[in-house]
């Protein structure tokens, strides 16, 4: 996710900004930039790639000891900086932040997504504004300029009234050399209170060298920073009082937002990530002239030509393949169309049968997995229409696919995939639902019903996370089990596969997943007192079958646990432990049942003394075969 820093004080701003950005590198980024206000007015330097590229670019421009101070560039005591994680527009110099208005006097850095940027862009274009980048952010700079008539704070407030979506903003204006403005809505921003200097940052580590006294900006609050003071306003322009907090964490803990590991942080980020994936794609009831909700998937060219498709092929590796399995069930369920989930490393070496009308979906968090890209190229050669679901804007997959649907999960730093998985699921559900509607397999009312259920998922995921101590306690009792099996049927089987992978990769426990009905065909031979069997039980029509499976392994002395709905007591007598998720249609449970399993894997890893963020033998992005 993007990182923001800002400084106003007595020091040279450039090194403060560059150092601050370095402290935010852990958030993930693909480009960086700064804007400094000094003797030469507002100067901007930005570039694609690593921070060192920016440092080199700026260093080439900085004043030299023997130089003429009149020519000093990037010399000034206030400025803003940014590391960008591309969302709208691929990583490039021009798309990097800061963005400026047409006059070049107002500079803006932004973290978040402006959902109505298209409409604002059209509106501003009609008023003579020309745009330089493909970003959603650029509209903010132009909009502030549009409302500016000598009072930058008033102009920012006017502009905010037009913005929909999420944003943390840092803003400076050449005509006001005494103020830096910070705004927050649904994206983090912290204000550092110093002596004769004040700062802003997306996260505390960027501030710690200068101060440990901070204000946490809340949603829809505006901070107006001068060198000696910080004033806070609400959206209506009324002054508000905020309390200072003292930071006593160490810098490393601060980078993880107070979490012990990135993996735990990312597991906890899932409610927000799911919201970010879903919200821009849902048309609320009433917005398109209908009284029911609908889905907007214009990004993947969803039109009537899709109706010709006779099959859906979903292809991926690892966790993303498990999302493909869920996708297969979802397409069959909602769209009543044959669907296959293909392992990319197998698919690329097969001689697959391909019909040009097939819809070919490739899923990859990184967009750089070698096997997945090879499968994409094979499918392309066969003339298929390729849709990529990926988290990384500008990745090879995003560039080579015909159409792209981004997961908007934000950067995933921990090697084990968590929030990428649940957001991939959200994407495949949306496509399957819309496709089902297009094929006449779902009525408008049914589509509305399912979208309403999806809208509840982020809050329900939050509710599951609230019970994390229960999982932690359970892990502390079972982390030494030598064998852990996950069993389930249909959607629960796909999550069993993902849960077993998560557990083995970070805790190094021997774990496997079985379709519950397959137990008696072989795997049950392994069940004994050293085995934990976790049964995922959310497919209501199959509860009795699952109950029998649990009894079968119990009879072989295995310990058992069940994950089921909060209102289901079917398994209370059978299972050793029961974990509960809120009610949702059976087909959507993977987005919830996987969370306790992720947490279980995480706690087992920690209890076994491993580093869950960097499991042995594994890499985040598998760019080789
Ligand atoms: C498991 C995990 C891997 C990846 C796989 C594909 O936690 O992260 O199994 O899912 O290597 O990676 P992407 O999605 O980047 O193609």
């Amino acid at each position: 996710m993007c990182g923001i820093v800002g400084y106003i004080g007595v020091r040279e701003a450039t090194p403060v900004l560059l150092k601050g950005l370095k402290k935010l590198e852990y958030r993930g980024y693909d480009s960086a930039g700064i804007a400094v206000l000094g003797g030469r007015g507002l100067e901007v330097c930005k570039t694609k790639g690593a921070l060192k590229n920016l440092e080199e670019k700026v260093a080439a421009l900085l004043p030299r000891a023997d130089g003429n101070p009149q020519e000093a560039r990037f010399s000034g005591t206030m400025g803003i900086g940014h590391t960008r994680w591309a969302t709208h527009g691929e990583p490039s110099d021009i798309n990097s932040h800061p963005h400026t208005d047409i006059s070049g006097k107002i500079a803006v850095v932004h973290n978040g997504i402006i959902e109505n940027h298209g409409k604002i862009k059209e509106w501003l274009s009609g008023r003579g504004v020309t745009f330089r980048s493909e970003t959603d952010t650029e509209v903010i700079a132009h909009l502030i300029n549009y409302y500016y008539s000598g009072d930058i704070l008033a102009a920012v407030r006017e502009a905010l009234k037009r913005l929909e979506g999420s944003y943390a903003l840092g803003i400076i204006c050449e005509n006001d050399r005494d103020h830096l403005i910070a705004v927050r809505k649904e994206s983090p921003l912290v204000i550092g209170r110093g002596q004769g200097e004040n700062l802003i940052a997306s996260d505390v580590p960027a501030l710690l060298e200068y101060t440990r006294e901070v204000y946490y900006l809340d949603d829809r609050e505006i901070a107006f920073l001068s060198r000696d003071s910080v004033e806070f306003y609400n959206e209506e322009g009324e002054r508000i009082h905020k309390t200072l907090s003292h930071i006593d964490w160490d810098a490393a803990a601060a980078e993880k937002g107070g979490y012990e590991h990135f993996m735990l942080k990312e597991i906890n980020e899932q409610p927000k990530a799911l919201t970010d994936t879903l919200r821009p794609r849902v048309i609320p009831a009433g917005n398109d002239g209908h009284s029911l909700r609908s889905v907007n998937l214009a990004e993947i060219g969803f039109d009537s030509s899709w109706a010709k498709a006779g099959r859906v092929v979903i292809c991926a590796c690892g966790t993303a393949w498990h999302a493909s399995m869920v996708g297969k069930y979802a397409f069959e369920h909602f769209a009543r169309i044959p669907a296959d989930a293909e392992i990319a490393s197998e698919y690329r070496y097969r001689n697959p049968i391909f019909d040009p009308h097939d819809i070919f979906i490739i899923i990859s968090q990184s967009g750089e997995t070698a096997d997945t890209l090879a499968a994409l190229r094979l499918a392309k050669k066969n003339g298929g229409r390729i849709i990529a679901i990926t988290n990384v804007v500008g990745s090879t997959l995003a560039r080579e696919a015909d159409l792209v649907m981004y997961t908007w999960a934000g950067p995933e730093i921990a090697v084990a995939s968590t929030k990428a998985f649940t957001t991939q699921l959200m994407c495949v559900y949306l496509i399957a639902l819309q496709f089902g509607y297009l094929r006449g397999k779902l009525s408008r009312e049914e589509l509305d019903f399912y979208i309403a259920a999806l809208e509840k998922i982020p809050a329900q995921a939050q509710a599951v996370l609230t019970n994390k101590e229960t999982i932690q306690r359970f892990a502390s009792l079972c982390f030494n089990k030598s064998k852990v099996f996950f069993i389930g049927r249909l959607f629960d089987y796909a999550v069993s596969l993902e849960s077993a992978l998560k557990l083995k990769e970070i805790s190094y426990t021997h774990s496997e997943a079985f379709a519950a009905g397959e137990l008696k065909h072989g795997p049950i031979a392994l069940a004994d007192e050293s085995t934990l069997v976790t049964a995922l039980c959310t497919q209501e029509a199959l509860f009795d079958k699952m109950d029998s499976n649990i009894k079968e392994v119990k009879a072989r002395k295995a310990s058992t646990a069940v994950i089921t709905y909060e209102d289901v007591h079917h398994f209370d007598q059978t299972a050793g432990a029961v974990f509960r998720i809120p009610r949702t249609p059976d087909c959507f449970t993977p987005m919830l049942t996987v969370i306790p399993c992720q947490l279980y894997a995480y706690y087992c890893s920690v209890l076994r003394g491993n580093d869950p963020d960097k499991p042995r033998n594994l890499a985040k992005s598998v760019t080789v075969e």
Side-chain angles (χ1 to χ4, degrees), residues 414-416 505 615-624:
V415 165
E505 68 183 335
R616 69 185 182 202
N617 308 339
L618 297 176
K620 182 69 187 158
S621 186
V622 188
T623 53
V624 291

Side-chain angles (χ1 to χ4, degrees), residues 161-368:
K161 290 182 191 159
R162 304 280 305 269
L163 301 183
E164 288 167 21
S166 56
Y167 44 82
L169 301 172
I171 302 156
I172 53 175
C173 171
E174 190 176 313
N175 296 345
D176 186 343
R177 289 162 176 270
D178 293 319
H179 292 104
L180 187 162
I181 297 177
V183 185
R184 177 206 154 121
K185 182 178 165 249
E186 294 171 22
S187 294
L189 206 57
V190 194
I191 314 294
R193 182 82 172 88
Q195 299 284 325
E197 59 185 357
N198 290 305
L199 302 100
I200 64 169
S202 297
D203 202 353
V204 169
L207 306 174
L208 288 181
E209 188 175 333
Y210 311 97
T211 181
R212 284 182 171 265
E213 306 305 315
V214 304
Y215 298 102
Y216 291 100
L217 214 52
D218 288 313
D219 273 357
R220 300 173 190 279
E221 289 179 349
I222 304 172
F224 196 48
L225 289 78
S226 68
R227 289 176 176 78
D228 298 312
S229 68
V230 187
E231 292 170 5
F232 296 96
Y233 295 89
N234 63 18
E235 274 183 326
E236 286 70 46
E238 295 155 349
R239 273 288 284 275
I240 49 175
H241 174 77
K242 290 193 69 74
T243 326
L244 265 182
S245 305
H246 180 76
I247 300 290
D248 48 16
W249 316 333
D250 65 29
E255 276 180 17
K256 293 169 190 148
Y259 290 102
E260 206 177 330
H261 296 100
F262 283 113
M263 184 179 174
L264 189 58
K265 177 168 180 269
E266 287 157 11
I267 291 173
N268 278 280
E269 281 170 351
Q270 288 178 108
K272 160 119 177 45
L274 285 162
T275 305
D276 290 347
T277 310
L278 177 67
R279 200 164 58 183
R281 284 141 181 159
V282 168
I283 305 172
N287 269 25
D288 63 350
H290 286 90
S291 58
L292 302 170
R293 298 168 185 82
S294 52
V295 175
N296 178 1
L297 291 181
E299 64 209 297
I300 54 167
F302 217 111
D303 59 30
S304 52
S305 67
W306 280 58
K308 291 195 193 120
R311 187 171 65 135
V312 178
V313 179
I314 318 175
C315 194
C317 294
T319 288
W321 178 66
H322 301 148
S324 310
M325 286 277 288
V326 174
K328 166 189 162 65
Y329 295 135
F331 275 99
E332 287 172 356
H333 185 75
F334 294 123
R336 305 300 301 135
I337 187 168
D340 294 320
E342 298 280 2
I343 295 174
S345 55
E346 289 285 304
Y347 189 81
R348 64 182 292 189
Y349 292 117
R350 287 219 321 264
N351 186 10
I353 297 157
F354 209 89
D355 182 313
H357 294 307
D358 286 352
I359 293 168
F360 203 91
I361 301 178
I362 306 258
I363 308 182
S364 170
Q365 187 285 131
S366 61
E368 302 295 348

